[in-house]
Amino acid sequence: MISTLHSIGKISLKMNQVTLTKLVIEVSRHWLLAQLVVSCSAAFGQAPAISRGQEILLPFKQQLMQSLQEGLQESPVAALDICRIKAPEIASLVSSNGIRVGRSSHKLRNQANLAPAWVNPVIQDYLDTPDDRSPRIVTLDDGSNGYIEAIILQPLCTVCHGENISQPVLDVLAEYYPGDQATGFAVGELRGVFWAVFPAE
Ligand code: HEC
């Protein structure tokens, strides 16, 4: 009798464990689902701000690339000069009416491109989670939107940011950017970010 009771107790204990495991699975399924819904709706809610950020940055990116390519057709050193002079000009041309744009990096060439404080945590996040280089929206203290996009190194960029930079380019870099940290990058690596600030709509 005692042993029967004992085994019944064992069975019910086992059942309890099964029920508990099932419960845990159920709860975590719901939790995961809830998380998924939260993250989807966050991404969905941010979609207009992301498109606006992309739209604002487009002329900045296009003009930078155009200047770079025009210069490179002549020589890397000519391209360097164009980049050095034109890049800050283009950034200020695109900035107006509460809109500001810029480029920054964790390894800067030009200290004038130092990131605004709200950009740094996102750069760090891109470095920590290389699998997620999706654009980000940050709501700033004054309620405006901050948009950030990763810049990945392309083969074209290695001429001035890569591992084997030619001596003439190195000489010009040393002349204008004595504290240059933006060399030694490999293709596919995070080179930095584009950022934009614009009023919330
Ligand atoms: C011809 C040389 C040259 C090439 C090629 C080049 N860059 Fe640069 N890059 C520069 C110079 C010079 C600066 C500093 C210009 C400035 O003051 O904004 C710079 C600055 C930057 C910055 C701003 C952050 C910082 O370090 O100051 C980023 C980001 C950047 N380059 C990314 C790229 C990417 C991506 C490519 C390829 C598509 C590229 N560059 C190709 C010369 C070059």
Side-chain angles (χ1 to χ4, degrees):
M1 180 64 184
I2 289 177
S3 73
T4 320
L5 273 179
H6 193 70
S7 46
I8 289 175
K10 260 192 184 166
I11 290 170
S12 68
L13 191 74
K14 263 198 179 157
M15 277 186 58
N16 275 343
Q17 274 178 345
V18 172
T19 329
L20 195 71
T21 317
K22 275 191 176 164
L23 194 75
V24 169
I25 292 174
E26 270 305 293
V27 169
S28 31
R29 259 184 31 167
H30 281 99
W31 185 82
L32 273 177
L33 207 66
Q35 289 302 304
L36 206 67
V37 171
V38 168
S39 55
C40 281
S41 60
F44 197 68
Q46 288 181 347
I50 288 180
S51 323
R52 182 77 186 110
Q54 284 168 342
E55 186 184 38
I56 288 169
L57 282 181
L58 195 64
F60 183 39
K61 287 156 73 173
Q62 280 175 339
Q63 288 176 46
L64 278 173
M65 196 48 107
Q66 198 184 334
S67 309
L68 187 64
Q69 278 166 345
E70 277 171 15
L72 283 174
Q73 275 171 7
E74 204 178 312
S75 76
V77 170
L80 226 167
D81 273 341
I82 294 179
C83 210
R84 183 171 60 80
I85 297 159
K86 280 257 178 111
E89 279 178 17
I90 300 171
S92 56
L93 273 179
V94 174
S95 307
S96 67
N97 301 330
I99 293 174
R100 279 182 302 130
V101 299
R103 292 190 299 173
S104 193
S105 178
H106 50 300
K107 290 183 183 170
L108 282 174
R109 169 151 295 164
N110 184 352
Q111 286 300 318
N113 292 323
L114 201 69
W118 58 273
V119 173
N120 285 319
V122 179
I123 297 183
Q124 194 54 50
D125 194 44
Y126 282 144
L127 292 169
D128 293 343
T129 52
D131 290 345
D132 184 7
R133 299 264 169 83
S134 55
R136 307 290 160 84
I137 293 289
V138 176
T139 303
L140 306 186
D141 287 347
D142 65 357
S144 54
N145 282 317
Y147 170 81
I148 306 166
E149 200 176 283
I151 303 178
I152 308 300
L153 201 87
Q154 300 168 31
L156 162 80
C157 323
T158 56
V159 179
C160 300
H161 295 294
E163 284 155 341
N164 299 307
I165 302 174
S166 70
Q167 198 53 51
V169 170
L170 284 176
D171 291 345
V172 182
L173 288 176
E175 187 183 343
Y176 290 103
Y177 308 101
D180 187 14
Q181 296 177 289
T183 58
F185 284 91
V187 172
E189 217 180 316
L190 184 80
R191 166 66 185 92
V193 292
F194 281 112
W195 59 263
V197 174
F198 51 96
E201 274 160 24

